[in-house]
Amino acid sequence: MSNTFLDATARAMRLLEGAQLQRNRKEARAQRAFDRANARYRADMSAAAMTEGAAWRTLLDVPGMTVSTAAALSGTSIATIHRRVREASHAA
């Protein structure tokens, strides 16, 4: 083994260790960004469900309004109306 081989190996190992530290930092930063975005996504989806659910609830609270009538008026299936109202109650 030559001294050149050992020197080159030591330099390469230092470079590798530095690259591994950088990767760990970048992965941690990416994970934090992902977690923030995911939390924002969940909050926005919950708010959207609450908004639509409240609107369905208002329509269904009209005296004489049935789910079938609301479905016919809105062009929405009965199952979708039930699902939207249920989603809003779970988002609360």
Side-chain angles (χ1 to χ4, degrees):
M1 277 195 220
S2 69
N3 198 16
T4 304
F5 174 80
L6 294 177
D7 290 342
T9 300
R11 281 192 304 276
M13 287 300 297
R14 284 192 301 274
L15 180 66
L16 176 60
E17 289 169 357
Q20 288 172 325
L21 286 173
Q22 272 189 336
R23 178 185 178 147
N24 289 338
R25 280 189 225 113
K26 288 179 181 186
E27 284 179 347
R29 185 174 60 223
Q31 185 64 52
R32 287 190 303 272
F34 175 80
D35 291 343
R36 284 191 305 271
N38 194 26
R40 179 59 190 237
Y41 170 81
R42 287 191 314 271
D44 288 349
M45 290 298 284
S46 178
M50 295 284 291
T51 299
E52 186 178 5
W56 280 115
R57 203 63 259 150
T58 299
L59 179 61
L60 294 172
D61 286 345
V62 171
M65 182 62 66
T66 65
V67 175
S68 296
T69 303
L73 290 172
S74 67
T76 305
S77 72
I78 292 171
T80 296
I81 294 171
H82 285 296
R83 186 172 48 254
R84 296 297 188 238
V85 171
R86 186 175 55 251
E87 287 170 353
S89 67
H90 288 114

